[in-house]
Amino acid sequence: MTRVGGRGGSPAAPRSVDVARLAGVSQKTVSRVFNGERYVSDEVRRRVLEAAEELGYRMNNAARALASGRSRTIGVVTLGTALYGPATLLIGVERAARDAGYAIRVVNTLEGEPGGVAGAVESLLEQGVDGIVVSEPIDEGSVSLSVDVPVLVLGAPAVFGGSRTVAAGVGAESLARAATEHLLDLGHMTVHHLAGPQGWFAARDRLGGWRAALSARGREQPPVIEGDWSAESGYAAGREFASAGGVTAVFAANDDMAIGLIRALTEAGLRVPGDVSVVGFDDVPVAAYVTPPLTTMRQPFDAVANDGIRLLVQAIEKPDAEPAPAHDPPVELVVRASTAPPPSRKIPARGRRTASGSSGSAQLPPAGDGPPTPPTDPLIRPPTTD
């Protein structure tokens, strides 16, 4: 069916009244169908949708917003980065929002930008979004904002007081603990940690999980090397671990750093996992194809995004309802070829550079000596590569 308008014979866009006439229903019923309201029978809904498809009708978003009082738009605040975790989570959020019938508006923030999250939230509120997602944020200290729409926080504590805030995600601390326990269960006396940048909530959680696992077993907590999520920083840390001697297991806070770490260990003449076992975090696509294939904690990004958007949409559309509980997404330790029991012999020290800059050697304590005192200097940043 084609309607012909009065201006030069150009076809006019079909209207909801045309859909109603073809489907044999009222115009109000058409609005109810396209707004996803209840109390419309399946048969009526089918007739309306078939009529709309035949006419090529799409409900105008502005008209929908006017009718419902909502823009059906969700604002997303995310870090402007190509890092696998934040980028993959953003794709999942976009897909889940679209499936729920919402468009999204994305505002990117920059690491180290003071007030970046607060400014992004204010910008989205000015655009009239129905809800806001704050994804993988960096700690900017206390955020003082009055937010009058629901907020979904992914991968961080709820930082917006006075708002209808929901949270979703996987406890990175528990995953890091499981990764560390995997290495301990293989027989390693302790596990070293290559941490992410400590301005990130996720990096802190992974550091906390590593500490908790060692503390629960009464094991030594070696000094931590802090990277910046990049393979380059992992490579620099790997040279540091190789020179230290006595290192048989390392948990890296993400896969990119783990891959750089393995490269440095291999160049130093150490076998992975024959001499040093390595576990990563995220399960990036390339993790299964490096040499050796990387053991890692797989993050369920799609499940987290789907559950978070479900919670946010409920808070938007049913503001007076009791908040729905978050689901525990599936998590998985993907065991590949980069982990194995420790070597039967000690790895000779090659002149460890300590936190004070002096050289010496380091050996793991023999079994049965009890847990030594944790180090007083918890973080050592790796030197830049030559």
Side-chain angles (χ1 to χ4, degrees), residues 98-160:
R98 184 178 64 246
D99 290 346
Y102 284 78
I104 71 166
R105 293 177 182 170
V106 179
V107 177
N108 291 313
T109 62
L110 299 176
E111 187 171 358
E113 178 184 28
V117 171
V121 169
E122 289 178 343
S123 171
L124 290 168
L125 291 174
E126 290 173 357
Q127 297 177 56
V129 299
D130 295 328
I132 292 175
V133 178
V134 181
S135 175
E136 292 279 359
I138 295 172
D139 188 3
E140 296 180 349
S142 60
V143 178
S144 178
L145 280 178
S146 177
V147 184
D148 58 0
V149 299
V151 176
L152 167 67
V153 179
L154 298 175
V159 292
F160 299 100

Side-chain angles (χ1 to χ4, degrees), residues 33-178:
V33 170
F34 278 89
N35 283 322
E37 296 180 17
R38 296 178 297 174
Y39 311 119
V40 178
S41 70
D42 291 341
E43 171 61 21
V44 169
R45 191 181 305 277
R46 181 189 61 77
R47 295 208 320 262
V48 169
L49 293 177
E50 286 180 353
E53 183 177 1
E54 180 178 340
L55 295 172
Y57 170 79
R58 281 189 175 185
M59 187 173 185
N60 182 278
N61 283 337
R64 178 182 293 180
L66 202 59
S68 66
R70 297 194 299 268
S71 66
R72 298 199 71 82
T73 303
I74 292 172
V76 181
V77 181
T78 187
L79 193 67
T81 178
L83 288 171
Y84 178 76
T88 305
L89 189 56
L90 175 59
I91 292 171
V93 167
E94 288 181 307
R95 185 183 299 114
R98 184 178 64 246
D99 290 346
Y102 284 78
I104 71 166
R105 293 177 182 170
V106 179
V107 177
N108 291 313
T109 62
L110 299 176
E111 187 171 358
E113 178 184 28
V117 171
V121 169
E122 289 178 343
S123 171
L124 290 168
L125 291 174
E126 290 173 357
Q127 297 177 56
V129 299
D130 295 328
I132 292 175
V133 178
V134 181
S135 175
E136 292 279 359
I138 295 172
D139 188 3
E140 296 180 349
S142 60
V143 178
S144 178
L145 280 178
S146 177
V147 184
D148 58 0
V149 299
V151 176
L152 167 67
V153 179
L154 298 175
V159 292
F160 299 100
S163 65
R164 288 172 287 159
T165 302
V166 294
V170 185
E173 183 167 338
S174 63
L175 299 189
R177 182 167 182 164

Side-chain angles (χ1 to χ4, degrees), residues 5-29:
R7 294 188 178 180
S10 60
R15 301 169 300 169
S16 61
V17 66
D18 302 316
V19 176
R21 186 180 298 116
L22 182 60
V25 299
S26 69
Q27 195 171 351
K28 178 64 176 176
T29 298

Side-chain angles (χ1 to χ4, degrees), residues 225-286:
I225 296 179
E226 180 181 348
D228 62 7
W229 299 127
S230 71
E232 182 181 9
S233 70
Y235 180 85
R239 295 178 63 181
E240 188 83 348
F241 285 129
S243 69
V247 177
T248 70
V250 181
F251 163 50
N254 80 336
D255 288 346
D256 284 347
M257 292 194 299
I259 290 169
L261 168 72
I262 290 173
R263 170 70 179 269
L265 294 174
T266 302
E267 288 183 356
L270 297 173
R271 299 166 301 153
V272 177
D275 298 314
V276 184
S277 289
V278 177
V279 174
F281 200 102
D282 280 340
D283 196 23
V284 300
V286 75

Side-chain angles (χ1 to χ4, degrees), residues 278-331:
V278 177
V279 174
F281 200 102
D282 280 340
D283 196 23
V284 300
V286 75
Y289 302 100
V290 295
T291 303
L294 182 64
T295 296
T296 183
M297 292 300 306
R298 176 177 294 164
Q299 289 218 73
F301 294 109
D302 283 344
V304 169
N306 288 335
D307 193 42
I309 293 298
R310 174 185 66 85
L311 296 174
L312 184 62
V313 168
Q314 186 202 50
I316 292 170
E317 298 182 353
K318 301 177 181 178
D320 298 326
E322 191 72 21
H327 295 156
D328 291 328
V331 294

